[in-house]
Amino acid sequence: MNSDAIILLAKKSGPTSFGAISDVKRALGTKKVGHTGTLDSFAQGLLVVCTGRLTKLAGYITAFDKSYSAVIKFGEETDTLEYTGNIIRKTRCPSLKELTDAVNTFTGPITQTPPLFSAIHIDGKRASDIARQGKNVQMPERNITVYSAQIKDTLFNEDNTVKYALIDFSVSKGTYIRSLARDIAAACGSSAHLIGLHRTKVGSFSIEAAAGYEKIKNFTIDSAINEMNENLNKTDKSQKEKQNDNEKLKKEIIDTRQDFTQELSVLCGFTNLTLTDDKALKDYCNGKPLHSSLFDFNLHQLKNNSLVAVFDKNKTFRGLFNKDSEGRLHHNFIIN
């Protein structure tokens, strides 16, 4: 079986992203595996996994926009901005109107401060490692875009304030939903943290097509609360249940693995070009300068800032090149 593949994997809450992709390694019998954007341990949802020589694609898929469903608990903020952290602040909960008004202001281009507990590097060290040492860290702000934010469900306190809210977000790369929850709550005069996070899309890839989706497809306020309690209480399955789940997931991974086809390339937003013949293939794979005769296509017609996926005459993916903002052509990588 060809180990060069794209795998859509539905990660359960609990394991790290690194731990989750070990299922892909075992299923396909390869050690060369890379995912295209980490999910926190407490989170679940879509991981786009590249295997074999296609791991070179991972960095480009990481840059895609993403969609999430998040369950936010109001009235308490934790140091990690999710339920495994320590509570550092308690406040009142917001009214539904306050929450709705706040959510509506968090769309479009905004500035965000990432969580202190994150994988972002500060002076060569992870911010989370510095935070665990009890040191103060000044997190740099970043520009992000929230394309949409919609309240899908709420659960109220006895005083009719919002205790939990399920909100769908569509965001640009580099957006932290934990920070959005914190900032939305602050805009309500409240505090908050996440008790559940479910990534539903990465670019044009959707969770519904992912191996293991059946195990996590029903994401609600109640399911997030139950999952949180199970994780906190370390509720575990029997060895037989684990084995059955692992065997089923292995089969799903094998059955749903995808070669990097021209159709998949279009889903990734790349422009496709096909090499004309064996000589063009040899020249391209040897890294010779890119020119129109390799493809029977005038490369001057490519738009600037284009990413181009190269295929041979047998429709096998051979590499990626780009046309930069000044119209210059550069090899990104070549697959021989």
Side-chain angles (χ1 to χ4, degrees):
M1 180 171 54
N2 183 4
S3 63
D4 300 337
I6 301 290
I7 307 294
L8 303 185
L9 181 68
K11 182 184 107 56
K12 298 180 291 186
S13 67
T16 63
S17 294
F18 181 79
I21 64 174
S22 62
D23 293 319
V24 176
K25 292 179 181 180
R26 286 191 293 268
L28 300 185
T30 180
K31 294 182 179 179
K32 201 168 183 181
V33 176
H35 60 77
T36 59
T38 300
L39 275 172
D40 292 322
S41 298
F42 82 96
Q44 65 179 47
L46 180 60
L47 285 174
V48 180
V49 182
C50 302
T51 66
R53 292 175 296 178
L54 294 186
T55 53
K56 294 178 179 181
L57 275 172
Y60 301 95
I61 297 176
T62 301
F64 292 173
D65 298 332
K66 299 174 178 68
S67 296
Y68 298 87
S69 290
V71 175
I72 304 171
K73 180 180 181 180
F74 292 92
E76 296 175 344
E77 182 177 322
T78 67
D79 52 3
T80 60
L81 300 180
E82 40 84 10
Y83 67 79
T84 67
N86 299 310
I87 296 173
I88 58 173
R89 193 159 68 97
K90 292 187 176 184
T91 62
R92 68 176 183 85
C93 294
S95 68
L96 180 57
K97 184 180 185 307
E98 287 174 326
L99 176 59
T100 302
D101 290 345
V103 168
N104 289 338
T105 65
F106 279 84
T107 55
I110 62 174
T111 301
Q112 180 184 84
T113 302
L116 182 61
F117 283 82
S118 66
I120 293 173
H121 282 75
I122 306 293
D123 297 329
K125 296 182 179 179
R126 283 185 180 230
S128 55
D129 293 337
I130 299 171
R132 289 188 183 97
Q133 295 171 2
K135 298 178 182 178
N136 291 323
V137 182
Q138 186 64 43
M139 299 299 293
E141 291 186 337
R142 56 174 59 184
N143 296 319
I144 62 164
T145 301
V146 179
Y147 302 110
S148 66
Q150 294 182 313
I151 301 172
K152 307 300 287 187
D153 195 14
T154 49
L155 191 62
F156 294 93
N157 294 301
E158 290 182 358
D159 63 357
N160 213 33
T161 55
V162 179
K163 185 174 183 179
Y164 298 100
L166 173 64
I167 304 178
D168 287 353
F169 295 99
S170 178
V171 298
S172 64
K173 68 173 183 177
T175 301
Y176 280 88
I177 306 301
R178 285 182 284 150
S179 291
L180 276 178
R182 174 199 63 203
D183 296 343
I184 287 171
C188 298
S190 183
S191 59
H193 65 276
L194 294 187
I195 67 160
L197 184 64
H198 181 70
R199 185 156 69 197
T200 57
K201 290 192 75 175
V202 176
S204 296
F205 298 108
S206 297
I207 186 68
E208 289 82 5
Y213 170 63
E214 286 297 315
K215 288 289 185 180
I216 68 166
K217 68 178 182 179
N218 297 315
F219 184 74
T220 63
I221 292 175
D222 286 341
S223 74
I225 292 172
N226 290 337
E227 193 76 28
M228 173 185 67
N229 290 332
E230 287 180 9
N231 287 337
L232 290 174
N233 295 325
K234 302 189 185 306
T235 304
D236 210 352
K237 293 182 177 181
S238 69
Q239 196 61 37
K240 186 176 181 180
E241 284 180 301
K242 284 183 180 178
Q243 186 174 353
N244 288 341
D245 286 350
N246 289 341
E247 287 301 314
K248 183 178 179 182
L249 181 60
K250 178 180 178 181
K251 184 177 185 306
E252 285 187 45
I253 289 170
I254 293 171
D255 289 346
T256 61
R257 65 173 296 284
Q258 302 177 62
D259 296 323
F260 194 72
T261 62
Q262 292 175 330
E263 292 77 15
L264 198 54
S265 172
V266 171
L267 275 180
C268 289
F270 302 148
T271 298
N272 293 340
L273 288 179
T274 302
L275 294 160
T276 55
D277 51 30
D278 290 340
K279 182 181 183 306
L281 174 62
K282 182 178 179 181
D283 287 347
Y284 175 77
C285 288
N286 285 333
K288 291 191 174 181
L290 295 157
H291 53 82
S292 300
S293 61
L294 293 174
F295 307 100
D296 276 347
F297 177 83
N298 186 349
L299 297 183
H300 293 292
Q301 294 179 11
L302 286 172
K303 294 180 180 179
N304 290 354
N305 298 312
S306 293
L307 276 171
V308 180
V310 176
F311 293 83
D312 63 25
K313 62 184 180 181
N314 296 318
K315 298 185 178 180
T316 301
F317 177 58
R318 290 295 186 170
L320 204 67
F321 73 86
N322 75 86
K323 187 174 186 179
D324 66 22
S325 58
E326 297 179 0
R328 293 172 297 198
L329 302 171
H330 308 273
H331 288 286
N332 291 73
F333 63 83
I334 296 167
I335 295 177
N336 288 306

